[in-house]
Amino acid sequence: MGKAYGYARVSTREQNELRQLVALHEMGITKKDLFLDKQSGKDFNRPMYKKLVARLREGDLIYVKSIDRLGRNYQDIIEQWKLITQNKRADIVVLDMPLLDTRRGKDLMGTFLTDVVLALLSYVAENERTNIVTRQAEGIAAAKAKGVKFGAPVKEIPEKFEEARRLWMERQMTLREAALLCGMPKSTFYEKARKLT
């Protein structure tokens, strides 16, 4: 019997992973055997996931709450599944989908059923990611059409900027003094002054 690990993922630092952690804890996964990434599931270039796969040995087991927590790219999920189950000879259990438990049905029929369910769920996960990106783009376009501005607001150039820039360029004032006169950080003053030369 190998070692059991848990893998959890949320797409952003603001999202809450507690639901996944509770489910993995209920499976007996301790904190030291838990791997958590806080980034998109669009690919598998995630530090904690890579660390987990590197640690896997034959007979080990990975618990994941749902297939979309593993990833959201259809082809990549299939490749990683094969890497773990065939190359590493470890098992995977998807808690929300009991059919995706590679410990069961190691015969031809069990493997076939797992492959079919995995393909279907991987497709659904990628399709949901595509829909999320589309909805996000539509939301941004609609907001822009209503006049919503994105990004940091553009700050007005202070009244004394031109005078300070001229004095700095003529070496009558240091960069620090010119920035101070304008009430700007040195780096901001320098950047804006250089753009106007």
Side-chain angles (χ1 to χ4, degrees):
M1 182 76 180
K3 194 160 178 53
Y5 298 101
Y7 180 73
R9 182 190 66 78
V10 289
S11 297
T12 66
R13 295 204 173 279
E14 293 76 33
Q15 288 182 329
N16 190 331
E17 66 276 7
L18 186 59
R19 184 179 62 90
Q20 294 175 69
L21 300 182
V22 167
L24 295 170
H25 180 71
E26 288 174 357
M27 301 311 295
I29 303 300
T30 61
K31 192 172 182 176
K32 69 180 179 62
D33 295 323
L34 181 68
F35 294 80
L36 169 66
D37 280 310
K38 291 193 173 190
Q39 68 185 78
S40 169
K42 66 180 179 175
D43 59 38
F44 283 86
N45 190 20
R46 297 176 235 138
M48 296 310 288
Y49 178 79
K50 287 180 172 182
K51 191 173 181 178
L52 169 61
V53 171
R55 189 173 291 181
L56 283 178
R57 300 293 174 256
E58 184 174 348
D60 286 349
L61 172 65
I62 300 174
Y63 286 104
V64 63
K65 177 78 169 109
S66 59
I67 196 70
D68 66 337
R69 299 302 86 203
L70 189 61
R72 287 197 178 270
N73 180 296
Y74 174 80
Q75 194 58 46
D76 287 350
I77 293 172
I78 302 295
E79 286 174 17
Q80 291 300 310
W81 192 274
K82 287 179 180 174
L83 170 74
I84 292 166
T85 61
Q86 294 175 12
N87 296 14
K88 295 279 189 175
R89 302 181 70 77
D91 284 303
I92 305 174
V93 174
V94 178
L95 298 174
D96 285 355
M97 182 54 60
L99 283 173
L100 291 178
D101 181 344
T102 61
R103 298 171 301 176
R104 298 187 198 146
K106 298 239 182 210
D107 61 354
L108 185 60
M109 179 57 81
T111 302
F112 170 72
L113 287 174
T114 297
D115 288 350
V116 168
V117 172
L118 175 63
L120 178 63
L121 293 178
S122 300
Y123 167 78
V124 170
E126 181 170 344
N127 192 50
E128 178 58 18
R129 180 176 183 280
T130 301
N131 289 339
I132 288 168
V133 170
T134 301
R135 287 191 300 265
Q136 183 181 37
E138 289 169 351
I140 290 170
K144 283 183 177 179
K146 289 181 179 179
V148 174
K149 302 286 186 205
F150 290 91
V154 177
K155 292 185 178 178
E156 295 291 322
I157 293 179
E159 282 182 32
K160 297 183 179 185
F161 179 80
E162 267 310 313
E163 179 188 352
R165 185 177 79 80
R166 182 183 55 75
L167 291 170
W168 174 67
M169 295 293 288
E170 293 172 357
R171 298 183 189 270
Q172 294 180 31
M173 190 177 278
T174 66
L175 177 63
R176 183 177 177 277
E177 291 168 337
L180 199 59
L181 180 65
C182 294
M184 302 169 86
K186 283 193 314 186
S187 59
T188 305
F189 176 84
Y190 181 80
E191 181 185 334
K192 291 190 179 303
R194 281 309 212 191
K195 282 183 181 174
L196 295 173
T197 47

